[in-house]
Amino acid sequence: MNTENRPVRFDTKIAVLLREDLLTWQRLNVTAFLVSGLGSELPELIGAPYEDADGTGYLPMFRQPVLVLEGTKETLTAAHGRALSRALPRAVFTADLFSTGNDHDNRAAVRAVPRDALDLAGLAVHGPRNAVDKVLKGARMHP
């Protein structure tokens, strides 16, 4: 069998969990913000730059798929706690960030709220497949 055509099975998983009551634009915005955190902190997740047949270069992207799931506010809170207990790399997006307009205010909004009181709109995690699966228990694939 040609190894180039064999599906790749990654040892790790990148996943985003969104609160199910978000509007479409919010889901897209939250996902983009969250994965940028993982990519900036974990450079090994980024593949090589792209190039089309004409030699035009494009920025590199994640080297593996990103799963997007959804769940209730309670599912998100539980997943956050499990990600913390497993010390997995994670990014959070709180509902407060929808009313801020810059990075400084975003960080201040998160910093102002104790961990257990964060109004989570989304969570991104990376880690071993089994650990990420356990963190996301109760979530379902995004439609």
Side-chain angles (χ1 to χ4, degrees):
M1 175 182 211
N2 183 348
T3 58
E4 290 181 23
N5 295 328
R6 192 177 320 160
V8 175
R9 175 124 171 117
F10 295 97
D11 294 337
T12 62
K13 188 178 277 189
I14 301 170
V16 173
L17 175 57
L18 302 171
R19 203 172 66 206
E20 66 186 359
D21 62 346
L22 298 179
L23 300 173
T24 301
W25 74 265
Q26 291 173 320
R27 291 170 184 254
L28 296 169
N29 185 266
V30 170
T31 300
F33 269 92
L34 289 172
V35 296
S36 72
L38 291 178
S40 65
E41 190 64 23
L42 303 164
E44 67 274 14
L45 294 179
I46 307 298
Y50 287 75
E51 185 176 290
D52 64 27
D54 297 317
T56 306
Y58 303 96
L59 294 172
M61 297 184 280
F62 286 130
R63 61 178 179 81
Q64 68 187 88
V66 176
L67 299 175
V68 180
L69 299 98
E70 69 175 7
T72 64
K73 183 175 184 173
E74 295 77 18
T75 300
L76 197 54
T77 299
H80 179 246
R82 290 191 291 264
L84 290 169
S85 72
R86 287 172 172 76
L88 293 179
R90 66 215 164 263
V92 295
F93 192 104
T94 66
D96 296 331
L97 303 187
F98 290 123
S99 63
T100 61
N102 61 73
D103 187 50
H104 175 76
D105 291 341
N106 286 352
R107 287 192 318 277
V110 173
R111 189 180 316 109
V113 180
R115 176 179 55 233
D116 292 340
L118 292 172
D119 184 10
L120 297 170
L123 170 73
V125 295
H126 172 261
R129 296 178 65 80
N130 290 342
V132 172
D133 288 343
K134 288 177 182 175
V135 164
L136 300 173
K137 182 180 177 186
R140 61 192 174 280
M141 290 300 292
H142 190 280

